[in-house]
Amino acid sequence: MALTQKNDYTIDDIYALPEGQRAELIDGQIYNMAPPNTRHQMLVSGLTITIGNYIRSKAGNCKIFPAPFAVFLNKDDRNYVEPDISVICDRDKLNDKGCNGAPDWIIEIVSPSTERVDYGIKLFKYRSAGVREYWIVNPRTSIVNVFDLENEKESCQYSFDDAAPVCIYDDLSIRISDFTE
């Protein structure tokens, strides 16, 4: 849920939040984040392990980071997100604080309170910032939306039982139901 006191927050406001309170900043607007539930964490864990093992098996240069991990999306002080999973292939974007610029692949696990932001605001921000691939995993509907933003292809929808192909890796597909049992 967005705070409404003012419309021009900065990253300094994010860092000034009380200990333990998490929020994201998109175009100067703060969006509070609720604690994740068990199913959400199972999905994040399963995806992180699967993608991390794939990258290691290929001796890849990319790094995977589960939330909380800071992404300074537009290299400005008005945009700060913590995607559920970020894959970054350009190590020059990484520093001690997080990622400066667009990750190559972002995965968001939708909750009822984040649906509007994940499907709308974040899709637009990630596309305009240069994210190559964006997945929206919806446990309520058991649907995965795969957006190949790099090639500007239309979104593809997959059920959790389908093997969803990863756009940035030609030989990787992921079945979400493997992490929900």
Side-chain angles (χ1 to χ4, degrees), residues 3 121 123 126:
L3 297 176
I121 295 168
L123 174 58
Y126 293 162

Side-chain angles (χ1 to χ4, degrees), residues 66-82:
F69 179 73
V71 174
F72 304 93
L73 202 53
N74 295 114
K75 298 183 185 178
D76 63 19
D77 69 344
R78 299 183 72 242
N79 288 280
Y80 167 98
V81 293
E82 290 185 6

Side-chain angles (χ1 to χ4, degrees), residues 61 75 88-95 98-101:
N61 194 44
K75 298 183 185 178
I88 296 109
C89 300
D90 179 354
R91 293 194 183 187
D92 288 339
K93 291 182 179 180
L94 296 172
N95 65 20
C99 177
N100 292 289

